[in-house]
Amino acid sequence: MDAYKQSASSLLDTYTSFCFEVLIMAVKELTILVVCSLIVCTGSEIFTSTDKISHLFGEEKFLLDAFSLYIDAEEEIVKKMKRDLLLLQLGTYSDPVDPEQIKDPVAAFILLIRLRSEWMSIEKYTSSSLSEYNVYQTVLEYAEIPQVEDLQGAALGLISLQELYKLYPHNITKETSLNAAQAYFVGFVAYNENKFQHAFLWFLYSLGRLTQYSTVTENELLRYLSDSAYHFGSLPVAIYFSQRLFNLDPTNEEVKVQLDLYRFLRYQKTSNKDIFTLINESSNSYEALCRGEVDERTSKRQMALSCRYSTGGGNPRLMYAPVKEEVEWDEPRIIRYHDIISDRDIESLKNISRPLLSRSETIGGVTNIRTSQSVFLDEGYPVVARVNQRIADITGLSMKSAEHLHVQNYGIGGKYEPHYDELDTENDRIATFLIYMSDVEIGGSTVFPKVGVALKPKKGSAVLWYNLHKNGNVDLNTEHAGCPVLRGNKWVANKWIHEYGQEFRRPCSLSYWK
C-alpha cells in the first residue's frame, strides 16, 4: 500500500518545471561563490600588507558583480512565479460563483487534483525562500490541502459510479473532460484495485487524449492497456496492444517475451471476455433501483396510495397549519412529509455543520459501504431545537430518548449501501425520520430493495418509517440504502427515535409476528 501511495503521489508531482530548478541552483551557486570568497579573504590577515589591501578593489568589484547576478537570478525566479501564478489563476476562471454548484463528480475530482498541484508548486517556491519572515509557509501549514488518499478516494468514487450506473469514461466525462494524465490516474487506481476492465477503459480514454505536452507517455499507456486486458481475460486485445508497444521499441526483449507468452496462451484458450462492453455481474435489486429500474407492479401499487393533510393526530401546533403527508408505501408504511423545514433553517444547519463534519462511521467504524461526512448536533443550537420539535409534532413520538440530529453531506460517488437502522440493543431505534436538505439531479435516491421502492430526494421534505414491528422485532423489509450521487450535492439530516418513552404513543403488540 505504501508503494501504491508513493506511485500515485509521483503521478501528481509534474507541475513544476526544470527551469525553476536551474534558477534555484544558480542562486545557490552564486551564494556559495560569494561566501567562499569571504572565507578566503578572511582566512588570513590583510591589514599587515599594503599589497593585499590594494587587491581589495578587485575583490570589491567581484562581490558587487556577484551580488548583481544574484539579484538578477532572484528576479528571474519572481518573474517565473508571476507567470505560474497567472496560469494557476486562469485555471480558476471557470469555477462556479457558488461553491455548492459543483455538482459534477468529475469537476470535483479535477478540483482536488488542481488544488494539490497548486499547493505542491507554491510550496516548492516558498520553501526555498531566503526570507526570515516567510508568512506563506505558515499559512500553508494550516491550509486544508487534498492528500493523495483524497485523490485515490475520489477516483474510486468515479469508478463506483461507473460500476453501478454502467457508465463508460466518455459518459461520465460528458460535461467535464479529463486530460491524459488525469484519466491515467483514475485508470491507475482502478488497476491497483484489480478493476481491470475499468482500468483498461480509462487507459484507452487517456491514450486518445495524449498530446505533446502530456506528462504520461504512450509507452506507459500501451503497457498498462495490454496488462489490463490480459488480467481481465481478453487475450486478443492484450496481444494487439503488446504488438503496438513492441513496434515502438523492437529491441525491448521484455515486451517481446510478453508478446510471445500472450500468443501462446491465446492458442491454449478458446474463450475470451469482451473488455469493451460493460456488464455488471454483481447487479442486484439495490443497484437496479438506483438506476431507476422500478418494477411496473410497484409503480401501479404506488399510484393507488393516498395523500392528505395531517395534524399529527390532533397536535395543537398543526391544527391551523397541517403538514402535507404522502404515503410512499403501505407495507412497511413509508410516509413522506412535504415542506416541513424552511430553506433558511436548512442553510443554518449546513453552516453549523460545515466546520464540524468528519468521515461517517457505521457500527463497525469507518468502512467503504458509507462514503459521506457527518456530525451530530444537539439542542444547544436554536435551529436544531426547532427541527426536533417539528419532528415530535409530526410523528407524535417522544424525543427524550432520541439521538441528536445527524447531518450528513455525501462526497464524490457518495453512498450508503443496504443496511438496517436498528442497533439490536435494549432501547433500539424504533423509527427513522430522514430530512432531505437538498435536491439531487441524478442519483442519491433512498431505496428499499426488499419491497422495490425508490424515493428521490426533494429539498424540504422528510420520510418516516418504523424499523421495528409493534412487538419489538426488526421489520426486515425496512432494509434501505442511499444510492451514489451521480450529479448534485446531497445533504440529509437523520433523527433516530428510540423505544423508551413511546409506550403510550405507539403501544406494543402481543402478536408474535408483528
Side-chain angles (χ1 to χ4, degrees), residues 379 383-393 399 405 495:
E379 289 199 352
V383 63
V384 176
R386 287 198 302 273
V387 171
N388 286 344
Q389 184 61 60
R390 184 74 165 158
I391 295 171
D393 293 341
M399 297 293 114
L405 192 68
K495 189 69 176 179

Side-chain angles (χ1 to χ4, degrees), residues 45-113:
E45 291 181 352
I46 299 176
F47 75 96
T48 54
S49 171
T50 304
D51 185 67
K52 282 189 175 182
I53 293 174
S54 65
H55 279 84
L56 289 180
F57 291 110
E59 205 65 38
E60 181 183 37
K61 184 178 184 306
F62 167 76
L63 287 172
L64 295 176
D65 289 344
F67 188 44
S68 176
L69 290 172
Y70 173 83
I71 292 171
D72 290 343
E74 284 281 15
E75 287 176 343
E76 284 300 315
I77 292 174
V78 172
K79 287 180 183 177
K80 173 159 177 50
M81 286 194 290
K82 287 183 176 180
R83 288 196 300 269
D84 286 354
L85 174 61
L86 180 60
L87 290 173
L88 294 174
Q89 289 173 331
L90 286 172
T92 68
Y93 284 162
S94 59
D95 290 351
V97 176
D98 180 2
E100 285 219 358
Q101 294 304 308
I102 184 162
K103 300 177 180 180
D104 180 7
V106 177
F109 173 66
I110 290 175
L111 178 60
L112 289 174
I113 289 182

Side-chain angles (χ1 to χ4, degrees), residues 6 14 59 80 82 88-89 114 149 151 225 244 295 303 322 329 367 409 420 442 449 475 478 485 499 506-507 511:
Q6 187 176 1
T14 56
E59 205 65 38
K80 173 159 177 50
K82 287 183 176 180
L88 294 174
Q89 289 173 331
R114 193 182 78 201
E149 291 81 1
L151 304 183
L225 280 164
R244 282 186 59 177
D295 190 286
M303 290 175 66
W329 198 247
T367 67
N409 179 230
Y420 292 98
I442 307 175
D475 188 341
T478 61
V485 178
E499 291 179 283
R506 191 187 189 237
S511 169

Side-chain angles (χ1 to χ4, degrees), residues 33 79 102 120 129 157 426 439 455 506:
L33 191 59
K79 287 180 183 177
I102 184 162
M120 294 176 73
S129 172
E426 183 178 342
D439 295 313
L455 308 178
R506 191 187 189 237

Side-chain angles (χ1 to χ4, degrees), residues 331 469-473 475 477 508-514:
E331 190 63 37
H469 291 299
K470 287 189 175 183
N471 64 4
N473 292 335
D475 188 341
N477 286 331
C508 298
S509 167
L510 298 179
S511 169
Y512 176 80
W513 301 107
K514 291 185 179 179

